[in-house]
Amino acid sequence: MSEGSGVVGRAAVGQATGRGPVLAWGLWDWAGAAFNAVILTFVFSVYLTDKVGEGLPGGVSPSAWLGWALGAAGFVVAVTAPVAGQWFDATAKRKLALGILTACTVVVMAAMFFVRKDYHYLWVGLVLLAVGSATFELCHVPYFAMLRQVSTPATVGRISGFGWSMGYFGGILLLLLCYVGFIAGKGDYRGLLGVPIDDGLNIRLVAVLAAVWFAGFAVPLFLYVPEVPRTDADPGAAVPARAVLSSYRVLWRDVRELWRVDRRTVGFLLASAIFRDGLAGVFTFGAILAVRVYGIADSDVLLFGIAANVVAALGALVGGRFDDRTGPKAVIVTALTGMIICGAFLLVLSGPLMFWIFGLLLTVFVGPAQASARSFLARLAPPGREGQLFGLYATTGRAVSFLAPTLFGFFVWAFNAERAGIIGLLVVLVIGLMLLLPVRGDDLRGR
């Protein structure tokens, strides 16, 4: 880290504290539920693999192709996120970057309207989903860094948990609207709006609704959260966009210095990057497994998604309370252990009832793990270096975001069974937990 790193830390913390800016910041998470819950998890991805991909010739299933497409998107994020986040901070253009990336994601979501129920359109759908996944993941680089602008050291844990819960509650409401308006019922016309299902029209319109939702609720952040002040804390990072190699040299310099002075932080960044990818994989592939392995009807997937978001949001809020009492590491270890146990049961059990029981038990642990991971780093960060460490937190997470999708696709292909994809997700969670256990965290309670 450069000598002026403390300048960035002080300038970035608490710049927009207050209920208004915090709510505006949290509303972006509420907006982003449109991509996470509707597009990536419970509606469009299921439509893509179960309907669009139906009858696909060849020996590779649509689920495996989806895993590999998302893995490719994760690789793109891995090679661009570190230098992108570095540049956003150095040039004080977090809001501009977030605005551009949000707009790109919204456009891609709207374009999913053109993916018809025909396996010839599977490739179009996979490309759109991969591009949208990459731009949405990159959105989190500037967005996560803004956490330091809307919080103080005394409130960062609560505000982090508030953001996660806003995302879950936004997903609940939007999934309800999609289910009631476009999907509920049987026959050729669905939902209260009576939308025809011919050629997948009702699902394609859901994609458009999700795009409008994302665009609308993202606006308050750009109006009420001020941009981080520009500093000269790390002038080497503010290189022109074309000087990619120079950006990576600056990144490597910062990582080497962090390794020399604070290996505990490096250990946590590595562990959290891996287990957070496992958490994302659970939501990405959960609905697909529900339909294709456990026999849950397409229309009922949304009901499960609503219930899963409710328990995950409640888990995040309750986990935040325990975070303050026991410290963030205890919450994360408990959550990951619970998820691994529930996933192991799902690997051997069958039927819709078992998926409802153990699937909901699994998702109740997701929220606490996510919220306490951000809280852990907030408590760990020394004064004046919070902004840089949260930038590394975001970028390291994106750098391994290809692991869960790629391993999911590999195990589906290797065992020729979609249930086997669960093994890939469990492998990622176990590795993340094993890397976290040696990281000392007992001294972070109440800090």
Side-chain angles (χ1 to χ4, degrees):
M1 304 291 179
S2 65
E3 293 180 359
S5 61
V7 178
V8 167
R10 287 189 294 272
V13 175
Q15 286 296 317
T17 52
R19 292 182 180 180
V22 169
L23 178 60
W25 180 80
L27 277 174
W28 192 94
D29 248 329
W30 172 285
F35 189 86
N36 258 340
V38 174
I39 300 299
L40 193 59
T41 306
F42 294 110
V43 182
F44 187 79
S45 60
V46 175
Y47 165 71
L48 199 61
T49 56
D50 197 49
K51 299 299 182 184
V52 179
E54 187 177 10
L56 180 70
V60 181
S61 73
S63 296
W65 280 117
L66 174 63
W68 289 331
L70 293 178
F75 177 77
V76 171
V77 173
V79 298
T80 57
V83 294
Q86 178 191 96
W87 190 76
F88 299 157
D89 283 344
T91 58
K93 293 182 178 179
R94 291 176 185 168
K95 279 210 313 187
L96 175 62
L98 182 60
I100 293 172
L101 290 167
T102 299
C104 290
T105 308
V106 168
V107 169
V108 168
M109 291 166 67
M112 292 174 182
F113 173 80
F114 300 102
V115 179
R116 300 177 180 274
K117 194 172 69 173
D118 183 324
Y119 73 80
H120 293 95
Y121 286 87
L122 177 64
W123 317 114
V124 177
L126 288 174
V127 169
L128 289 174
L129 195 59
V131 172
S133 178
T135 56
F136 184 68
E137 291 288 331
L138 286 170
C139 281
H140 289 86
V141 176
Y143 178 69
F144 275 29
M146 286 182 180
L147 174 61
R148 307 304 299 162
Q149 293 163 234
V150 296
S151 66
T152 67
T155 62
V156 66
R158 282 175 287 170
I159 291 175
S160 177
F162 169 73
W164 283 118
S165 63
M166 283 288 284
Y168 288 129
F169 286 126
I172 293 165
L173 180 57
L174 182 55
L175 287 172
L176 277 171
L177 291 175
C178 293
Y179 181 77
V180 173
F182 298 86
I183 297 174
K186 297 182 179 180
D188 295 334
Y189 297 88
R190 299 290 177 88
L192 289 179
L193 299 178
V195 181
I197 64 172
D198 184 51
D199 220 6
L201 180 61
N202 62 327
I203 304 300
R204 292 156 52 203
L205 286 175
V206 163
V208 175
L209 172 62
V212 172
W213 175 284
F214 196 172
F217 284 110
V219 168
L221 180 146
F222 303 103
L223 297 178
Y224 298 109
V225 178
E227 183 61 271
V228 64
R230 184 165 187 167
T231 74
D232 59 354
D234 197 356
V239 296
R242 64 180 180 275
V244 176
L245 292 180
S246 296
S247 297
Y248 279 103
R249 282 195 291 269
V250 172
L251 176 70
W252 179 242
R253 180 204 67 194
D254 287 351
V255 170
R256 283 186 302 173
E257 183 170 343
L258 185 62
W259 174 257
R260 288 195 300 269
V261 301
D262 191 357
R263 294 193 180 183
R264 176 165 68 158
T265 299
V266 174
F268 175 73
L269 289 171
L270 177 60
S272 70
I274 294 176
F275 73 67
R276 283 184 286 139
D277 187 48
L279 301 178
V282 167
F283 270 96
T284 300
F285 297 104
I288 295 169
L289 292 169
V291 172
R292 299 182 65 85
V293 175
Y294 296 94
I296 292 181
D298 288 1
S299 57
D300 291 339
V301 169
L302 278 186
L303 297 179
F304 178 82
I306 292 166
N309 276 270
V310 169
V311 299
L314 294 176
L317 293 174
V318 173
R321 300 275 185 179
F322 282 98
D323 186 309
D324 291 334
R325 295 177 183 175
T326 65
K329 180 180 176 180
V331 174
I332 300 170
V333 169
T334 301
L336 293 179
T337 303
M339 292 182 67
I340 292 166
I341 292 172
C342 292
F345 274 106
L346 285 172
L347 189 60
V348 297
L349 297 174
S350 298
L353 179 60
M354 292 297 99
F355 185 83
W356 271 92
I357 293 173
F358 287 96
L360 289 181
L361 283 175
L362 188 151
T363 53
V364 78
F365 294 113
V366 175
Q370 291 173 320
S372 289
R374 288 197 299 200
S375 171
F376 191 109
L377 189 59
R379 298 174 191 271
L380 189 63
R385 293 175 61 187
E386 297 92 345
Q388 288 178 316
L389 290 182
F390 266 91
L392 283 174
Y393 174 82
T395 55
T396 51
R398 305 314 145 200
V400 299
S401 60
F402 62 92
L403 281 177
T406 303
L407 286 176
F408 179 90
F410 170 77
F411 279 99
V412 169
W413 168 79
F415 288 90
N416 195 28
E418 287 171 297
R419 179 191 295 268
I422 298 174
I423 301 174
L425 302 181
L426 291 178
V427 167
V428 177
L429 291 174
V430 169
I431 293 173
L433 176 59
M434 292 300 101
L435 290 173
L436 177 65
L437 289 177
V439 178
R440 187 165 56 92
D442 58 310
D443 60 329
L444 299 180
R445 182 174 57 186
R447 174 171 156 183

